[in-house]
Structure formats: C-alpha cells, structure tokens
Amino acid sequence: MFDDIKKNTFTKNEINALEHRVRKLPLLEHLSAEFKAYENGCVEVVLNEIHPIHLGGIEGKFINGPTLLSMIDCASVTPAMLHYRGAKCATIEITVRFMRPVGNHYFKVVGYVVEKRQRLAYVKAKVLDKNNAVLVSADGIISLVGKNNDI
C-alpha cells in the first residue's frame, strides 16, 4: 500500500521516544486521539471515540475538516521528526484532497516520509476507512527547525 515510503528502520527506543513526546500534545488529548509509530517510519493517528465536536458536514454525519486536518498534520510532521532523529520540525506546506466523506465510524490517518533532504522532508498522509480504502490524501513539506527534543 505504501510503495513510496522512504525505506528506513528505527529502533524501539526512537519509536518510544517519539510516541512519548507526541502523546503529551494537548491537541491529541482534546481530540481523544491515539498516536502510534512503527519501526518502518510510518505513523498512525486514530480517534479513540467520535464525539459531537468531531462531526460536521451534511447534518453532522461526517468528520469535520478541522478534526481531519489536525490529524493529517500530526501524521505528516511526526514521521519527519523520526527521520530527523527527534529534531523539531514544522509543516510548511500541505495539500489535501478530499475524495470521499469520512463517516462517523472507524478510520485512521497514516503518514510517512517519501523523500528526505538536508532540511526538508516530503511526506504523504492518507485517511483510510476500515477496509483501507483511501478517503482523503495529502502531500506535505516538513522543515527541520531545530535539534533539541522539545516540541
């Protein structure tokens, strides 16, 4: 499914350190979202529960844009942090394509780096339904902005 992922392997310590940092973000707590990173550099953001604040669109039956964009941004910047070994990173550009509405049922957002340069990482994020069908896709550019581990 992710043929374009930049091949790399990260240690369990690197994965645990990133997960620990990201799970402390107030936004994830506010969204009731869970974050998971994998040894291949792919990350996943999932809502633990869907609340009325997540809903919008036509008669509130779909996940709203702010919720999706927040999850996509998290799934875009965090793989770059992993590739830059814990350094501070920031999203400088993101293009999002909404292909199908995201219903108020299980979905996940996955993100990964496709190319890494000295100070820029090119990333992809996808919103997938329970059958791994792509509902939303995004391409982004993430900038390396620092070297310490503070978010």
Side-chain angles (χ1 to χ4, degrees), residues 26-86:
L27 178 65
L28 288 183
E29 184 178 332
H30 176 73
L31 289 174
S32 297
E34 184 64 36
F35 175 83
K36 178 83 176 127
Y38 297 93
E39 291 177 3
N40 67 354
C42 190
V43 303
E44 188 174 284
V45 182
V46 177
L47 289 181
N48 290 323
E49 297 178 41
I50 295 175
H51 299 289
I53 195 166
H54 300 132
L55 301 175
I58 301 167
E59 300 172 346
K61 294 182 181 176
F62 301 100
I63 304 298
N64 62 39
T67 298
L68 290 171
L69 292 172
S70 296
M71 294 173 72
I72 289 168
D73 187 47
C74 181
S76 296
V77 75
T78 52
M81 292 167 61
L82 201 51
H83 276 267
Y84 288 115
R85 305 298 192 216

Side-chain angles (χ1 to χ4, degrees), residues 89-142:
C89 294
T91 305
I92 59 173
E93 181 179 305
I94 196 158
T95 301
V96 180
R97 289 166 299 286
F98 294 90
M99 295 175 283
R100 294 193 334 215
V102 180
N104 61 357
H105 44 76
Y106 176 84
F107 68 95
K108 63 184 173 184
V109 182
V110 296
Y112 55 94
V113 171
V114 294
E115 184 178 343
K116 178 185 154 192
R117 304 239 174 115
Q118 186 174 351
R119 298 195 61 81
L120 296 175
Y122 297 84
V123 298
K124 289 194 178 195
K126 298 176 183 183
V127 178
L128 306 172
D129 69 11
K130 66 182 178 186
N131 299 315
N132 287 330
V134 179
L135 306 174
V136 180
S137 68
D139 298 297
I141 303 173
I142 309 300

